[in-house]
Amino acid sequence: MFPQNYDENPFIVIWELTRACELKCLHCRAEAQYRRHPGELTFEEGKKLIDDIKSMNNPMLVFTGGDPLMRKDVFDIAKYAIDKGVRVSMTPSATPNVTKEAMETAKEVGLSRWAFSLDGPNAEIHDHFRGTSGSFDLTMNAIKYLHELEMPLQINTVISNYNIDHLDEMAKLVEDLNCVLWSVFFLVPTGRGQESDMISPVQHEKVFQWLYDLSKQVPFDIKTTAGQHYRRVVIQNKMREKEAESSGNSIKYADALKKGATGQIDGLGRAPKGVNDGNGFVFISHIGDVYPSGLLPVKGGNVRETPLPEIYRESEVFKSLRNPDLYKGKCGVCEFRHVCGGSRSRAYAVTGDYLESEPFCVYIPKSMRKKKAATEV
């Protein structure tokens, strides 16, 4: 259904409907504001954008923000997309805007999934990270509503120094909440996010291994954002377990996906090939600016001036990001570069160059190990 390379069409499109939000999250990429921006894409402009998105082999569309519910026309936009056959999900903020009525409307128009953020197993940790007292309780109440409506639940968690010591508790909470997917984000120092809030490279590796071990024990699926090197850890584990015969250039992304009893990929609409910033992934801001992701603020164009398909296919930033052979440092020679590639957002945030090596990866590629061994003989 989807191409194995993303030169023509993305697998997923994120549209930041608005930057307005009532929360003050410590890590906020959008540096969200309390009021909507007057230059937001209008409903009519949004319909044109959705038409362009549908034309790109109908990728998944996610409404984000800020808080998408700060736009009164959010469900009109969603209905237009769903009536066109686009699969739409939404990541609203846990504020008083998340009412049972809003969820009922979402189900009526056909939203495929709601994602809520939980960044701690209790109110003390979560509310501190989200910068708003009462956020944890609002989230839990919203999840209760969601279950009553029998809508699939996705939990998003940002891993940082604020919750690194509470991951076992988080995993139990995610399981108790009966979610279908735990989307684990690894902090990128952009927007309000600070480099001092990030876990260390060694901690990244330990969390990846912990996630892999967890994935074999829990009923929900796990995916990572800005943690592309989790794919390498999964493949390495499967190679050791002889569950996948992958080596050298034959390493396949499918080996990094969990398969169910039928042997099928998890059924959650996951990509047949790993996406990365600008490579299967595209982000449209509230004012129509197009970026490789919301965490990589290098603009490729604006949909008010250039159609989205043209920006995605022809912009130099997008084209270079889709060529792992252009990556620098150890990422450029790593045997996993076509299935991992490291976080291009983190490379940019830390080094100022989105083609530089992933700065929070501890893995040493085979070619570099061989070269080092040869010089020591």
Side-chain angles (χ1 to χ4, degrees), residues 345-364:
S345 295
R346 189 174 295 105
Y348 180 79
V350 175
T351 73
D353 184 347
Y354 53 78
L355 295 176
E356 262 297 348
S357 191
E358 160 65 70
F360 278 67
C361 176
V362 299
Y363 182 69
I364 305 299

Side-chain angles (χ1 to χ4, degrees), residues 64-244:
T64 188
D67 178 9
L69 293 178
M70 293 291 279
R71 280 193 67 143
K72 302 302 182 188
D73 59 356
V74 59
F75 294 119
D76 296 324
I77 297 170
K79 186 177 188 307
Y80 181 85
I82 292 163
D83 287 348
K84 289 274 183 177
V86 179
R87 295 162 298 157
V88 180
S89 59
M90 184 162 59
T91 60
S93 302
T95 72
N97 291 326
V98 180
T99 62
K100 194 166 186 179
E101 291 71 28
M103 292 185 180
E104 288 171 347
T105 303
K107 185 173 183 179
E108 286 169 10
V109 302
L111 254 73
S112 61
R113 187 186 309 170
W114 272 41
F116 284 112
S117 293
L118 275 175
D119 297 297
N122 54 50
E124 181 182 4
I125 298 170
H126 175 84
D127 288 1
H128 175 71
F129 194 67
R130 291 282 154 183
T132 305
S133 179
S135 176
F136 182 83
D137 291 339
L138 273 170
T139 302
M140 299 302 285
N141 286 334
I143 290 171
K144 180 182 176 184
Y145 290 154
L146 203 67
H147 284 326
E148 288 177 10
L149 293 170
E150 299 182 337
M151 287 185 71
L153 168 67
Q154 172 180 326
I155 296 294
N156 297 339
T157 299
V158 178
I159 304 292
S160 71
N161 283 326
Y162 294 103
N163 58 15
I164 185 67
D165 296 325
H166 302 274
L167 295 185
D168 287 326
E169 299 163 71
M170 274 302 307
K172 185 179 185 308
L173 178 59
V174 170
E175 183 170 4
D176 290 346
L177 291 173
N178 193 30
C179 78
V180 296
L181 176 66
W182 191 20
S183 187
V184 183
F185 292 68
F186 289 82
L187 189 67
V188 172
T190 188
R192 292 186 192 136
Q194 300 296 312
E195 195 165 340
S196 59
D197 295 333
M198 296 172 64
I199 61 175
S200 71
V202 170
Q203 287 176 314
H204 274 77
E205 196 76 3
K206 288 181 177 178
V207 173
F208 292 149
Q209 184 60 50
W210 176 81
L211 285 172
Y212 177 72
D213 294 337
L214 180 70
S215 73
K216 296 189 292 182
Q217 306 166 24
V218 293
F220 53 84
D221 193 35
I222 296 169
K223 84 175 186 74
T224 59
T225 295
Q228 282 79 359
H229 28 332
Y230 175 56
R231 302 168 195 164
R232 167 187 51 80
V233 171
V234 171
I235 292 170
Q236 286 177 307
N237 274 279
K238 288 189 173 183
M239 289 166 68
R240 282 192 289 267
E241 296 164 3
K242 300 185 186 300
E243 291 180 7

